[in-house]
Amino acid sequence: QVQLVESGGGLVQAGGSLRLSCTASGSIFSINAMGWHRQAPGKQRELVARIYSGGSTDFLDSVKGRFTISRDNAKNTVFLQMNSLKPEDTAVYYCHAEIRRFHSDYTGSYWGQGTQVTVSS
């Protein structure tokens, strides 16, 4: 079993900051990419930011320069620091990880339960 547990969402005014955390636990041999997706009401889920085990990153264009992503490999934890938040950042944010479990050659895709981020204008 593998679990992703998120924390850090909430309500913030425009221009404010929030920090999301996500920790993976369970029978984990290795983690490739860890990251965050978001889904706003009536919209498709989209990739916000992703960080690979080697440290390279991908960002959604609209969050570049405002969001940073980092990870603590020893703790299987990924962080998303969100600054200069805008009302259009309002969404449910989902943690995602590509994990290879012990005794398996397969790398699976795992999701957290989601955490609400609401930015008021």
Side-chain angles (χ1 to χ4, degrees):
Q1 284 272 357
V2 171
Q3 253 191 327
L4 300 183
V5 178
E6 302 141 334
S7 62
L11 173 64
V12 65
Q13 287 189 332
S17 298
L18 283 174
R19 188 184 192 222
L20 305 183
S21 301
C22 171
T23 298
S25 62
S27 179
I28 297 171
F29 176 75
S30 64
I31 302 178
N32 182 18
M34 296 187 81
W36 298 88
H37 290 65
R38 70 186 182 188
Q39 188 166 20
K43 295 188 176 181
Q44 288 190 330
R45 190 174 297 191
E46 61 183 356
L47 172 68
V48 177
R50 175 170 53 204
I51 183 168
Y52 294 89
S53 56
S56 59
T57 57
D58 297 318
F59 287 95
L60 182 68
D61 283 347
S62 62
V63 309
K64 287 179 180 177
R66 299 189 297 122
F67 291 10
T68 58
I69 189 168
S70 59
R71 64 191 276 181
D72 183 335
N73 290 326
K75 296 182 178 180
N76 294 334
T77 298
V78 63
F79 306 97
L80 184 68
Q81 179 66 43
M82 305 185 291
N83 298 328
S84 303
L85 282 161
K86 303 176 181 180
E88 50 264 44
D89 294 317
T90 295
V92 177
Y93 283 69
Y94 296 91
C95 179
H96 174 257
E98 298 171 355
I99 295 173
R100 180 180 170 188
R101 297 172 59 183
F102 282 108
H103 311 300
S104 174
D105 293 328
Y106 173 71
T107 297
S109 183
Y110 295 86
W111 293 91
Q113 79 282 1
T115 185
Q116 178 70 45
V117 171
T118 303
V119 185
S120 63
S121 57

